[in-house]
Amino acid sequence: MIRKLRDQLGANNFLLLITIVLFIAMYIAGIIVYRENNFGRFQVFLNLFISNAGLIVAAVGMTMVLITGGIDISVGSMVAMTCMLLAWMMENKKIGAIPAIIIVLLIGVIFGLVQGLLIAYLKIQPFIVTLAGMFFARGMTAVISTDIISIKNETFLKVANAKIYLPFGGYVNKKGVMIYPYIYPSVIIGIIVLIIIFYILKFTKFGRSIYAVGGNEQSALLMGLNVKRTKLKVYVLNGFLAALAGFVFCLNTSGGFVEQAKGFEMEAIAAAVIGGTLLTGGIGNVLGSLFGVLIKGTIETFITFQGTLSSWWTKIVIAALLCFFIILQSILASTKHKRLKST
Amino acid sequence: MPKLKTLWRKLTGYSLFFPLTCLAIVLIINLIKTPTFFHISINNGVLYGFIIDILNRSSELIILAVGMTLVVAGSGGTDISVGAVSAVAGAVTIFSLVGSMSSDIYRIPYGLAILLGLLGGMACGAFNGFLVAKLRIQPMVATLILFTAGRGIAQVITQGFILYVRKEQFKYLGNFIPGIPVPTPIFVAILVVAVTLLVLKKTALGLYIQTVGINAKSARLVGLNATLIIFLVYTFSGLCAGIAGMIITSRVYSIDANNAGLNMELDAILAVAIGGNSLGGGKFSLAGSIIGAITIQALTTSLYAMKVTADQLPVYKAIVVIFIVMLQSAELKRMLHSMLNKHSIRKAGRKVA
């Protein structure tokens, strides 16, 4: 039956389906196990988005890069640099919030442009280029300041802490007052980015050529696609998204310090892989990456609700889950391979 | 003139030319900046000096780079778990030595603890190897698992503490053995390199790894067990990470699961790339990777000597790395070449006119 389902959906959507089913199963398990701690409240679900808004943006960008067959490990450092720059500009240089945000987004674009040029036109391995990018951005963070700068800019904090109440999904508290769940603007940014990139990948010529380039560069070239320009555009867009992820991350943390967001890029890659993106390129879906992020968030929520488990267990559980997904993918891929052989 | 040109072409054709040039440039800049750079003195019966320091500090990186080179050559992928695996190996050794409390009494013999640590490293490597070779998972994704979990596992072993071994003998491996003026890690690195070279050259294993790396399918068709070779390569990388872990923990006679071998995997991959090896697999040069590792350490040490803080170090490193890989980029050479050609054609055209 599973095989039939897979044949109907195609390996791509089948993996996405598994991810979604697993997420729902995990969540229901959480609701049952932690029913006394109100795990079932809608707010707990929304908190997954609130605490991972930055990661959603980064994972979406990462998915796009992975689909081209490349990789970008500079994202975590970019987030740190963006946070630090925002904090430094607003606190030490008294630049307004909006110009500061525009500046960091521009820097992200330039960063992506340089990396993209090196990768697409000079054909240097993406891993090495973005490794250098990672070193550079992390180092620049320290060059800007080695202090912990917290943001006190009013406009920025107003946006960061603006609670947007949803008109549904509330619960009645002990005093009999209806409490509605809320989200922050960061979540809205994350969702908008997700929708835009989903649209681009699915319905635009640029998006389809990303898949083509990742699937087989040679064929894409022979089809008359401009492979180099497509790659460049992807890295520029990803640079922008990395800076945006930094801004969204900063909305949550309201500050910058050198060691911030270490290992963020690996979380983004893990989310994409859990969501069914292949690192070899050509296959992937931003929706899957969203669920990858949500699964990681759910595990973290479990561990906070549990209370006694230490934070390093999060990493072990995430890794075990990653292992599970990867092995599942490989089994699926290999059965597909065998079927192709037999026909 | 043409003779000079052929000589130049011969030189640049030599595969170690660029890695050596990079190292030479780093060293020459150092010599200009710090005239005492090549100065070596003997204090308290041990050698001192920048060069010794570079060689000493680069030992772990050389060992990791040796394992990484074979991984890259054999599977066309990278092992990003080596830093975390060294932490695991270090944690295993120290935990089996002193238990979950810092102490100066060994619970089991030192040699046995080292062996356990190395076995731990090899087990991690074998796990990676199984995923990559048997399940055909892309190397980076497969090793991402231990990259994420490795430090967690090390934390579980040490129960979240930083464990110390307060015994003089434990420091020998990462520092000096009394009476010998050369730091011990250098000997370990030389030993690892020598044994690896011996095995690769005396048996056909080196050739096999290259063959598998260039085309695993055709390697299988000519009768090579590609799966086994890739598995072995990853296990070896785990062993190398274990050895590096021993040195790292011995240097500071403690295990800090969060920081032992942190970012070492990146430096190791970088060493392989700077050494002129393609990260796509196939042909490899162990000597190149070793030179790459020394270059990275020379760069780090010299930047420290120029009073760059540890936090800011990555900026300079990034610039140098980009510079080096651009130098080696075939695409850039072609672009420059065609630009020069165009120029000369235009010049010739003008002459004719």
Side-chain angles (χ1 to χ4, degrees), chain B residues 261-274:
Chain B
L262 195 64
N263 295 336
M264 285 290 259
E265 61 278 347
L266 301 178
D267 278 346
I269 297 168
L270 210 55
V272 174
I274 290 178

Side-chain angles (χ1 to χ4, degrees), chain B residues 14-16 66 69-70 73 192-210 236 277 282-288 290:
Chain B
Y14 183 51
S15 67
L16 291 182
V66 167
T69 311
L70 298 188
V192 170
V193 170
V195 169
T196 313
L197 271 180
L198 206 69
V199 172
L200 290 182
K201 298 281 170 195
K202 284 287 158 192
T203 69
L205 203 60
L207 202 62
Y208 288 173
I209 292 173
Q210 280 188 13
F236 180 69
N277 295 303
K283 282 197 153 190
F284 68 95
S285 152
L286 220 50
I290 295 163

Side-chain angles (χ1 to χ4, degrees), chain B residues 162-314:
Chain B
I162 298 178
L163 298 176
Y164 285 88
V165 180
R166 301 189 205 286
K167 199 160 177 165
E168 209 49 43
Q169 185 210 2
F170 189 77
K171 298 180 193 169
Y172 290 169
L173 187 64
N175 298 286
F176 294 89
I177 296 172
I180 298 173
V182 182
T184 330
I186 296 180
F187 290 119
V188 181
I190 290 172
L191 187 74
V192 170
V193 170
V195 169
T196 313
L197 271 180
L198 206 69
V199 172
L200 290 182
K201 298 281 170 195
K202 284 287 158 192
T203 69
L205 203 60
L207 202 62
Y208 288 173
I209 292 173
Q210 280 188 13
T211 316
V212 171
I214 292 169
N215 191 333
K217 211 174 252 171
S218 41
R220 202 165 49 247
L221 290 179
V222 297
L224 290 179
N225 189 344
T227 314
L228 181 69
I229 287 171
I230 294 176
F231 177 78
L232 283 181
V233 159
Y234 276 86
T235 314
F236 180 69
S237 171
L239 176 66
C240 287
I243 299 171
M246 297 302 111
I247 297 178
I248 294 166
T249 45
S250 172
R251 266 191 212 286
V252 290
Y253 50 93
S254 65
I255 177 70
D256 174 0
N258 280 328
N259 294 313
L262 195 64
N263 295 336
M264 285 290 259
E265 61 278 347
L266 301 178
D267 278 346
I269 297 168
L270 210 55
V272 174
I274 290 178
N277 295 303
S278 152
L279 290 190
K283 282 197 153 190
F284 68 95
S285 152
L286 220 50
S289 302
I290 295 163
I291 294 168
I294 297 174
T295 310
I296 292 170
Q297 191 55 47
L299 187 69
T300 312
T301 308
S302 39
L303 285 171
Y304 281 136
M306 290 173 202
K307 306 266 181 315
V308 174
T309 65
D311 285 336
Q312 298 173 354
L313 189 76

Side-chain angles (χ1 to χ4, degrees), chain B residues 23 26-27 30 37 50-62 251 264 267 271 274 290-304 313 317:
Chain B
L23 182 58
V26 172
L27 291 180
N30 265 310
F37 194 78
F50 278 116
I51 294 295
I52 298 294
D53 192 54
I54 289 171
L55 287 176
N56 180 9
R57 296 273 159 194
S58 62
S59 307
E60 296 105 300
L61 200 53
I62 290 175
R251 266 191 212 286
M264 285 290 259
D267 278 346
I274 290 178
I290 295 163
I291 294 168
I294 297 174
T295 310
I296 292 170
Q297 191 55 47
L299 187 69
T300 312
T301 308
S302 39
L303 285 171
Y304 281 136
L313 189 76
K317 217 162 153 183

Side-chain angles (χ1 to χ4, degrees), chain A residues 122 125 132 135 139 279-280 326 330, chain B residues 135 138 141 279 314-315 318 329:
Chain A
L122 290 190
Q125 290 137 338
F135 285 154
L279 262 80
T280 37
I326 291 164
S330 115
Chain B
L135 298 182
Q138 308 141 58
V141 182
L279 290 190
V315 177
S329 153

